[in-house]
Amino acid sequence: MAQWTSAMGAAQLARLLNSQQERPAGPGTRRPPAYRALADGIRLLVLEGRVPVAARLPAERELALALSVSRTTVAAAYEALRAEGFLESRRGAGSWTAVPAGNPLPARGLEPLPPEALGSVIDLGCAALPAPEPWLTRAVQGALEELPPYAHTHGDYPAGLPVLRSMIAERYTARGIPTMPEQIMVTTGAMGAIDAICHLFGGRGERIAVESPSYANILQLMREAGARLVPVAMAEGLGGWDVDRWRQVLREAAPRIAYVVADFHNPTGALADDDQRRRLVDAARSAGTVLVADETMSELWLDDGVEMPRPVCGFDPAGSTVITVGSASKAFWAGMRIGWVRAAPDVIRSLVAARAYADLGTPVLEQLAVNWLFSTGGWAQAVDLRRAQARENRDALVTAVRRELPTWEFEVPQGGLTLWVRAGGLSGSRLAEAGERVGVRVPSGPRFGVDGAFEGYVRLPFTVGGAVADEAAVRLAAAARLVEAGVSGGSGESPRTFVA
């Protein structure tokens, strides 16, 4: 019986391989043989999860034709991968991808580094900060005091605790967006909210328009749901959305859903202005597309004088086009898995009804903790603390990267938690692998794109500061030197851990 569980076509694999940018070889630099370069490219795709483990690769002749190389080159590359443990073959069944014994499977997401590895590896993989104490402890203590009446109930609240739904509705109303509790559903984080929305509106095979680049974990969630992703390029630098491109895509592709991050976009940090928001909502309404606006970064402005635009849903007074997603995870703490959806009441009812076949509801104690923060003023003070910490980390990281890697290019955002960096012509995938060797974990650009885009980028979050930020930049520079020297891969050795 075949050992593979999926198949990779020759044209698809060739496209992914061709997206891997290589730095031009300098004087005296030896280029690897063609078979070695091909083997390294496939190995990197497996390590990043862009080619799944146990995926059947195309026959040697098919891949040779797609890449315009000799069949001998492909055969030698496959043999090298078999010797390194990244490929298995059996006569009559073909060849399929694998990972060497003793190595974990690539997760294809951006999972946190295991706590036991934090002492030896600087983790720039996740855009998440430690809890803003003492506010986490106070919120949990406050929640415990409010818990007894709920303990006498069944504990299942598919739409969320009424007291928290009312509080979230009041917060939108205070921002100038009149909202009723019936327009709110509490979810298990923003990921839970978007998963529910995708299942309601975006069945398998449905088109979903996404920013390019976009948040990696959301892209993967949509892929796993069977969506057909339609990328829409962002404007240059911190320019936000290119609304003309959006209008064209919405008109021609007619996606069922469009997913956007208007506030300090992840990963670029861009802040869409009022005019862009108004025009995009109008374009989505005209196309019959549901616009999902992710507000998880909306409270993380870091510079004085930043004027926040009106929420995206503020340009949809009828409530028929925009669904808003919020969360406590970025502004407060990733361990507080509380998110919410704001939408028209009929949409909320449909989401709640569908939840009976998913997770039934969100933990009561965590909902009470967030409600305590909102109702006591603790949220505002905790977010102020979070902004100060992120601002200090951002400034330290920017200074360190500019000093150690002067050819790397980026613009400094006024908020959010991430820096989107063009890595001086180097391959982001190879930098990620080399970083594992020198003790810094960084996600490569293709994580945030569709079909291999952004190979020349990496994302750096504002999660470390001070001397740790300095050391992170020193290690990134060391990883860059490994890539420039052509020794980030090809030795047959595997990295200690995988970028996730």
Side-chain angles (χ1 to χ4, degrees):
M1 189 173 69
Q3 300 295 309
W4 49 274
T5 57
S6 62
M8 177 69 59
Q12 182 183 9
L13 181 57
R15 186 170 64 252
L16 291 172
L17 289 165
N18 289 332
S19 74
Q20 296 176 329
Q21 298 173 0
E22 290 282 2
R23 189 180 184 90
T29 301
R30 291 197 309 164
R31 288 188 177 276
Y35 84 89
R36 183 68 262 173
L38 175 56
D40 288 349
I42 294 174
R43 179 172 53 82
L44 277 173
L45 291 173
V46 173
L47 291 177
E48 284 213 320
R50 291 158 66 197
V51 170
V53 175
R56 186 179 186 274
L57 295 187
E60 295 169 1
R61 186 185 303 277
E62 295 174 0
L63 186 57
L65 287 172
L67 293 172
S68 298
V69 300
S70 71
R71 182 178 177 180
T72 302
T73 296
V74 177
Y78 279 15
E79 182 58 37
L81 289 169
R82 277 190 287 269
E84 295 163 10
F86 286 93
L87 197 68
E88 296 180 9
S89 303
R90 192 172 67 201
R91 186 179 298 277
S95 299
W96 56 91
T97 56
V99 292
N103 285 269
L105 296 178
R108 302 182 71 185
L110 294 179
E111 295 182 351
L113 192 69
E116 61 269 18
L118 291 175
S120 59
V121 178
I122 298 175
D123 186 10
L124 299 180
C126 291
L129 290 164
E133 288 288 25
W135 297 107
L136 174 62
T137 298
R138 292 179 182 177
V140 173
Q141 290 172 341
L144 287 171
E145 294 176 1
E146 299 293 330
L147 182 61
Y150 295 93
H152 294 291
T153 73
H154 49 65
D156 287 335
Y157 297 88
L161 294 183
V163 64
L164 181 55
R165 296 175 73 195
S166 295
M167 181 61 67
I168 294 170
E170 289 176 14
R171 286 170 58 83
Y172 277 106
T173 300
R175 294 168 67 189
I177 314 297
T179 303
M180 304 179 296
E182 291 79 10
Q183 291 178 262
I184 302 296
M185 180 176 84
V186 181
T187 62
T188 307
M191 291 289 288
I194 294 170
D195 182 57
I197 294 167
C198 286
H199 278 88
L200 180 62
F201 290 98
R204 184 165 294 275
E206 289 279 4
R207 293 186 180 94
I208 300 180
V210 295
E211 297 153 321
S212 182
S214 186
Y215 179 37
N217 285 338
I218 294 296
L219 294 181
Q220 190 58 35
L221 181 155
M222 292 174 175
R223 291 188 189 102
E224 297 290 345
R228 298 162 61 189
L229 300 183
V230 182
V232 185
M234 298 284 288
E236 286 296 316
L238 298 177
W241 299 323
D242 185 329
V243 181
D244 289 337
R245 288 182 182 175
W246 269 102
R247 194 181 302 278
Q248 180 181 1
V249 168
L250 294 176
R251 182 177 61 249
E252 295 178 355
R256 186 71 181 90
I257 303 173
Y259 168 77
V260 296
V261 183
D263 305 296
F264 308 118
H265 173 259
N266 185 354
T268 68
L271 177 65
D273 61 30
D274 279 319
D275 183 61
Q276 290 174 335
R277 296 172 190 230
R278 180 184 297 106
R279 292 171 60 203
L280 183 57
V281 171
D282 289 345
R285 184 183 299 114
S286 297
T289 297
V290 176
L291 186 61
V292 180
D294 186 333
E295 286 191 337
T296 54
M297 297 281 192
S298 64
E299 296 190 64
L300 290 177
W301 63 87
L302 305 183
D303 294 338
D304 294 334
V306 176
E307 293 188 11
M308 290 300 296
R310 188 171 174 80
V312 175
C313 59
F315 299 98
D316 180 37
S320 59
T321 299
V322 178
I323 297 177
T324 303
V325 171
S327 172
S329 296
K330 297 297 185 184
F332 186 75
W333 184 47
M336 187 69 76
R337 304 304 306 158
I338 297 296
W340 52 86
V341 178
R342 180 198 181 274
D346 62 319
V347 172
I348 294 298
R349 286 193 293 270
S350 296
L351 289 170
V352 171
R355 198 169 193 180
Y357 308 102
D359 62 357
L360 292 178
T362 302
V364 170
L365 186 63
E366 292 186 22
Q367 292 187 69
L368 290 173
V370 171
N371 187 67
W372 183 92
L373 288 166
F374 286 157
S375 61
T376 62
W379 177 268
Q381 295 183 65
V383 172
D384 282 343
L385 182 63
R386 169 67 75 238
R387 290 194 196 105
Q389 186 179 14
R391 183 187 309 116
E392 182 179 334
N393 287 355
R394 179 198 63 182
D395 295 346
L397 187 64
V398 165
T399 298
V401 172
R402 283 177 171 165
R403 181 182 64 246
E404 299 294 335
L405 293 149
T407 63
W408 287 21
E409 303 171 55
F410 54 86
E411 293 189 37
V412 181
Q414 293 182 296
L417 291 171
T418 57
L419 201 65
W420 185 237
V421 181
R422 183 182 284 112
L426 298 178
S427 160
S429 298
R430 286 175 167 77
L431 280 167
E433 186 186 7
E436 297 283 358
R437 296 171 179 271
V438 298
V440 60
R441 188 171 184 255
V442 58
S444 66
R447 295 279 192 194
F448 306 89
V450 177
D451 287 338
F454 307 109
E455 182 59 55
Y457 288 79
V458 292
R459 190 196 73 172
L460 305 180
F462 313 145
T463 52
V464 296
V468 181
D470 290 337
E471 179 61 22
V474 168
R475 296 186 188 187
L476 285 171
R481 288 192 294 271
L482 286 177
V483 175
E484 288 173 327
V487 297
S488 65
S491 66
E493 298 177 3
S494 300
R496 290 190 300 272
T497 57
F498 289 101
V499 177

